[in-house]
Amino acid sequence: MVDAPTAPRDKGAARQPGVQTRVLAARVLAAVLVRGRSLKAELSAALPRLDDSRDRALLEAICFATLRRRHAYDQALGQWLQKPLGPREADLRGLLMAGFAQLDALQLPAHAALSATVDAARALGRERQAGLVNAVLRRAQREGFAPAVAEDAWPRWLLQQVRHDWPQHADAIISNSLQPAPLWLRVNRQQHSRDAYLGLLHEAGIEALAEPLSADAIRLPVAVPVASLPGFAQGAVSVQDLSAQQVADALAPPAGARVLDACAAPGGKSAHLLERDPSLQLLALDVDARRLQRIRETFARTGVGAHAQVRAVDAADTAAWWDGRPFDAVLLDAPCSATGIIRRQPDVLLHRRVEDITALAALQARLLDALWQVLRPGGVLLYATCSILRRENAEQVAAFLARTPDARLQPLAAAFGHDDHGCRQRLPGEQGGDGFFQARLVKMDLA
């Protein structure tokens, strides 16, 4: 039986090596698994509390591994505990599952993992459950867990939708979405050529490979802390997935063009466009005012965007922000289900609901219709999502074309992924990239 905590928090235990990392892992997982919070947001708050980059990497690894094997760990808890853990034991549940991930998925040395995790129970104020944590983790060490079945992590409705949309690729999508993503870098060509930066990585002893699908992309077979990347703090390089980097190639605005990035935070795609052409007249919008700071920080670190404008507005409410001057190019990286980046956000499988897709599709259509009005004749709108669901992607574009007489779809090259009715879809893990959809729409002059 699990008792409620009665003992005070053991501050001494929290100071022992590795204990604080497990404490934070328990709290992050409790917030995600029990309270429905975003893993990305919880890690963003927790990681700065750890000074050592190795501890930060371990915290991320524990949380990701736990969510990827959540089904098996839930099964084990159901079998090994006398009664289910309630909401008041959220941190205890998170700690036990973090312990499972250390022993199972991460294969950490058992003695160190058990010791630090049991001490973390005390640091969480659960002295009376420390023995329970020790006993359950030792049983996990002896008996292990059910074999990994990738489908188990997926909600049934989403599994059915993926199999319907991508019958020939569904198994690979499901498997690849639960694998760790590689570390992709984008070289800032205002500071270095890609070849020159590859030389700096070689000098630093970091293995790196150039990616032919995008001119600024580098793939690291073994991830390293970003602080160890030459010139990272000075903006010489940024972390950005291959698929996201290809947005600049797909939009390809003319030199000096007036460009709108309608849903811009955290600013990586805007920065990439400006790194390629500092003469662009760029306006970056985001509906969340709190996220604008991320855009400004991205511009400041990379040294671009000195003349770019950043505004917190609803891009679809053009009357609130548009000055009437048409744009040459519009990037709409639309809010979506994030089903193409589950390997980076495994909590998508925990939080996403079927009704979300209906709401997101309506928002995407509203944004498309509104932003089409601010584009000049002859201009280009690039519609992109990190979804793999056709309702948000090819079907969304087909519906837009049907109701928009002056819109034409301009096919993109095979380098952008699978052809899907003239649009392009990369599926998770293909060429090492995220799942990502792009459609290039040209505005015709029908006057």
Side-chain angles (χ1 to χ4, degrees), residues 134-152:
N134 183 63
V136 171
L137 294 185
R138 288 195 180 279
R139 184 167 181 179
Q141 185 184 5
R142 291 193 308 271
E143 299 182 19
F145 299 89
V149 179
E151 289 188 5
D152 288 344

Side-chain angles (χ1 to χ4, degrees), residues 80-108:
W80 297 343
L81 296 179
Q82 291 183 9
K83 70 174 185 178
L85 296 173
R88 292 183 62 189
E89 287 83 34
D91 59 347
L92 182 60
R93 181 187 178 199
L95 184 64
L96 286 167
M97 296 185 81
F100 292 166
Q102 294 170 68
L103 297 170
D104 173 48
L106 302 181
Q107 294 285 295
L108 298 184

Side-chain angles (χ1 to χ4, degrees), residues 251-286:
L251 184 63
R258 180 169 158 80
V259 178
L260 172 67
D261 186 351
C263 303
K269 298 180 183 70
S270 282
H272 192 195
L273 290 167
L274 290 166
E275 288 168 9
R276 288 193 169 187
D277 181 5
S279 72
L280 293 177
Q281 304 169 58
L282 188 136
L283 172 61
L285 308 179
D286 202 88

Side-chain angles (χ1 to χ4, degrees), residues 276-411:
R276 288 193 169 187
D277 181 5
S279 72
L280 293 177
Q281 304 169 58
L282 188 136
L283 172 61
L285 308 179
D286 202 88
V287 71
D288 188 346
R290 296 169 299 179
R291 301 182 63 187
L292 289 188
Q293 185 58 28
R294 294 282 307 280
I295 302 176
R296 295 188 179 100
E297 289 170 357
T298 298
F299 287 171
R301 187 183 61 82
T302 55
V304 301
H307 305 293
Q309 292 181 290
V310 179
R311 295 186 64 182
V313 293
D314 176 1
D317 184 11
T318 56
W321 60 267
W322 186 40
D323 62 4
R325 296 169 55 211
F327 290 88
D328 302 301
V330 173
L331 169 58
L332 173 54
D333 184 8
C336 72
S337 62
T339 45
I341 56 171
I342 290 168
R343 61 184 192 164
R344 297 188 186 277
Q345 297 182 23
D347 54 321
V348 166
L349 296 176
L350 185 64
H351 300 324
R352 191 65 66 231
R353 300 289 182 265
V354 64
E355 55 268 23
D356 295 343
I357 309 307
T358 300
L360 286 164
L363 174 59
Q364 292 154 4
R366 176 172 168 259
L367 284 162
L368 274 167
D369 289 341
L371 295 173
W372 194 249
Q373 305 310 311
V374 309
L375 184 68
R376 69 166 175 82
V380 171
L381 185 151
L382 186 73
Y383 175 72
T385 76
C386 56
S387 171
I388 56 171
L389 303 183
R390 283 202 163 106
R391 187 174 176 191
E392 299 179 272
N393 295 341
E395 292 175 12
Q396 180 73 265
V397 171
F400 174 75
L401 291 170
R403 66 178 181 267
T404 312
D406 59 349
R408 298 290 185 274
L409 182 63
Q410 189 174 79

